[in-house]
């Protein structure tokens, strides 16, 4: 995970519980890549809906592309989720 710390949610020395959000990071490049893939998926789904009526051969091709973009979005979402840093255990936050 690469990014810049955007917000520190807990003051250093503060008590935290497992799962508490400690830091929120920002990676504009990653977020832009995610948005591009979301737009591509919407475009493919529209093409798929049209192909169902007009071009049954194209349907299988589009289904494969949709699957690839959905998989890419899932990988990107995992990376986006890592931009929010959670406490691994109860304790004192040290920065």
């Amino acid at each position: 995970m690469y990014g810049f710390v955007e917000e520190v949610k807990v003051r250093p020395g503060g008590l935290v519980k497992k799962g508490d959000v400690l830091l929120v990071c920002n990676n504009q490049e990653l977020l832009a890549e995610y948005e591009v893939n979301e737009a591509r998926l919407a475009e493919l789904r529209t093409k798929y809906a049209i192909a169902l009526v007009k071009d049954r051969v194209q349907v299988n091709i589009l289904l494969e592309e949709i699957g690839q973009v959905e998989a890419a979005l899932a990988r990107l979402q995992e990376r986006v989720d890592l931009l929010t840093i959670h406490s691994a255990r109860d304790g004192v936050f040290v920065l």
Side-chain angles (χ1 to χ4, degrees):
M1 185 268 324
Y2 297 101
F4 297 96
V5 174
E6 187 172 81
E7 187 176 359
V8 178
K9 293 287 198 175
V10 180
R11 65 174 174 70
L15 295 176
V16 296
K17 296 204 178 288
K18 182 178 179 177
D20 284 354
V21 174
L22 304 175
L23 303 169
V24 176
C25 298
N26 188 342
N27 182 326
Q28 288 299 317
E29 210 173 289
L30 176 62
L31 296 174
E33 185 178 351
Y34 187 89
E35 288 177 9
V36 165
N37 276 274
E38 277 187 320
R40 176 72 177 140
L41 183 58
E43 174 190 9
L44 288 170
R45 286 181 173 159
T46 300
K47 286 182 177 181
Y48 173 78
I50 293 167
L52 280 173
V53 175
K54 292 185 174 187
D55 187 356
R56 301 290 288 172
V57 174
Q58 189 71 11
V59 166
N60 290 332
I61 295 168
L62 288 166
L63 280 175
E64 185 175 324
E65 283 186 67
I66 287 169
Q68 291 171 354
V69 175
E70 286 175 336
L73 275 169
R75 289 188 302 274
L76 287 166
Q77 184 62 56
E78 288 174 2
R79 292 175 58 201
V80 168
D81 291 345
L82 291 175
L83 293 173
T84 301
I85 312 300
H86 298 268
S87 175
R89 60 185 58 88
D90 294 351
V92 177
F93 178 59
V94 179
L95 184 62

